[in-house]
Amino acid sequence: MAENKIPYKIYLSETEIPQNWYNVRADMKNKPAPLLNPGTHQPMTAEELEGVFCAELVQQELDNETAYIPIPQEIQDFYKMYRPAPLVRAYCLEEKLGTPAKIYYKFEGNNTSGSHKLNSAIAQAYYAKKQGLKGVTTETGAGQWGTALSMACSYFDLDCKVYMVKVSYEQKPFRREVMRVYGASVTPSPSDTTNVGRKILAEHPGTTGSLGCAISEAVEVAVSNPGYRYVLGSVLNQVLLHQSVIGLETKAALDKYGVKPDIIIGCAGGGSNLGGLISPFMGEKLRGEADYRIIAVEPASCPSFTRGVYAYDFCDTGMVCPPTVV
Ligand SMILES: *Cc1c(COP(=O)(O)O)cnc(C)c1O
């Protein structure tokens, strides 16, 4: 019989779910480049951003100083439905690789929406509700973010308008329908429901859409409908802040078992799960308390770290969003 391998999973108890998010920007000497006003090219002010985003999320977006931001009780209670997420020892992978390394992975898929996106979706829906808004708009590509947001909005009884990249809308009908089951409206993008959508359709008839088009449409709907704001599932500072719950739990679980990681690896698309996972470890590194090797893994098809230029650009096709460093 094989040797008894214990533990397969490191669980924390419900009371060990973090009560604060950790804002790694507080420990960064070089702060991230700010969002710019597309007209003046000056950093966007809170007032300007509040036309697009929920007020409290704007505060989080611009806060480069506060290291720990309390997680509101309602969000902590929601987290308890699927957190703490297990940290699993990958014995089979270790064996297959024949490596002496001890490999652990943090599993964020054990919630109904199926991804880490819910960690931020529930926070963003909470602040929208608290502000007394009617609803939120967003874009989704493959549908993970749209699904998580639909679920979060349904929990807080908020309207949710999702612009889904047309090709995904057609290729992934089940994703689309899950969002509708949660009560969201799902529109294939580009659509004729917005000015920017109509313009893109006129210029590129037959286009199957892109994330950039869908963002432009969602932003237009948010800013032109009273009681609506736009929310985003990746890239932003506020999203990374919410996703720090992943890293905080990982660190707490490893500390509980006296494991100190040498290497931390994460996949990076928009950077939110990677950033969330590494935040508390990076904080220790920045404060000179510990050292870790951190590896970001990116897709070869759209490498954002190893190729391209570090420069300001629009993240949407309609060029209505504040330019950000991409
Ligand atoms: C959210 C998402 C990403 C980006 O994830 P990050 O954790 O922000 O890097 C990439 N691909 C899909 C399908 C996603 O849903």
Side-chain angles (χ1 to χ4, degrees):
M1 220 177 94
E3 175 201 353
N4 207 4
K5 291 167 177 164
I6 295 173
Y8 262 92
K9 296 194 193 77
I10 303 182
Y11 278 114
L12 295 173
S13 71
E14 236 170 68
T15 54
E16 290 168 298
I17 296 177
Q19 294 175 352
N20 296 278
W21 291 302
Y22 167 62
N23 178 8
V24 70
R25 283 168 287 152
D27 285 309
M28 291 169 69
K29 279 192 201 78
N30 297 321
K31 305 295 183 192
L35 295 166
L36 295 187
N37 179 310
T40 63
H41 293 270
Q42 292 303 305
M44 293 281 283
T45 62
E47 208 179 14
E48 289 166 339
L49 286 170
E50 279 172 18
V52 183
F53 300 114
C54 304
E56 198 140 348
L57 292 166
V58 168
Q59 295 310 316
Q60 294 182 358
E61 191 62 28
L62 298 177
D63 188 339
N64 282 345
E65 310 302 328
T66 315
Y68 288 94
I69 296 181
I71 304 176
Q73 190 59 48
E74 290 92 330
I75 301 175
Q76 287 190 42
D77 290 344
F78 187 90
Y79 279 168
K80 281 179 195 157
M81 282 193 265
Y82 68 100
R83 311 203 68 83
L87 186 69
V88 188
R89 177 83 181 268
Y91 282 117
C92 298
L93 180 62
E94 290 173 15
E95 238 163 65
K96 197 80 184 169
L97 295 174
T99 175
K102 295 175 177 136
I103 304 174
Y104 295 83
Y105 64 92
K106 180 73 167 160
F107 183 62
E108 288 291 324
N110 60 342
N111 68 74
T112 312
S113 74
S115 78
H116 66 290
K117 297 281 161 70
L118 193 58
N119 299 330
S120 184
I122 195 62
Q124 297 192 45
Y126 167 80
Y127 291 116
K129 185 73 185 177
K130 197 173 156 216
Q131 194 174 329
L133 298 174
K134 278 191 233 153
V136 292
T137 72
T138 199
E139 79 292 338
T140 200
Q144 303 224 79
W145 166 245
T147 306
L149 186 70
S150 305
M151 187 178 167
C153 285
S154 146
Y155 183 75
F156 284 121
D157 199 18
L158 277 170
D159 185 33
C160 180
K161 297 186 195 300
V162 180
Y163 282 83
M164 185 171 190
V165 177
K166 191 182 278 173
V167 66
S168 295
Y169 180 94
E170 284 159 7
Q171 282 175 352
K172 300 176 197 291
F174 296 118
R175 271 280 170 197
R176 181 182 82 205
E177 295 313 318
V178 169
M179 291 183 256
R180 287 180 176 155
V181 167
Y182 279 120
S185 74
V186 187
T187 308
S189 169
S191 74
D192 60 7
T193 66
T194 61
N195 291 330
V196 66
R198 285 187 290 271
K199 183 163 177 273
I200 292 165
L201 282 173
E203 284 166 12
H204 309 277
T207 176
T208 53
S210 69
L211 217 46
C213 292
I215 295 174
S216 292
E217 289 204 276
V219 171
E220 181 182 318
V221 173
V223 298
S224 51
N225 284 285
Y228 282 80
R229 292 293 186 281
Y230 169 69
V231 296
L232 182 58
S234 181
V235 179
L236 297 175
N237 293 333
Q238 58 190 270
V239 181
L240 198 147
L241 174 73
H242 305 147
Q243 295 298 355
S244 69
V245 71
I246 303 173
L248 292 162
E249 271 184 21
T250 303
K251 191 159 184 321
L254 291 173
D255 285 350
K256 191 168 172 173
Y257 281 80
V259 180
K260 192 185 167 297
D262 301 302
I263 306 176
I264 303 160
I265 306 175
C267 57
S272 72
N273 86 82
L274 169 79
L277 173 68
I278 67 175
S279 274
F281 299 98
M282 189 55 103
E284 288 190 325
K285 211 173 141 103
L286 288 165
R287 297 189 302 270
E289 296 164 6
D291 199 16
Y292 303 99
R293 185 171 166 220
I294 292 171
I295 304 176
V297 181
E298 65 180 1
S301 59
C302 49
S304 48
F305 287 134
T306 56
R307 302 186 56 185
V309 265
Y310 182 77
Y312 274 97
D313 198 1
F314 290 96
C315 61
D316 67 315
T317 311
M319 298 194 246
V320 294
C321 293
T324 184
V325 167
V326 291

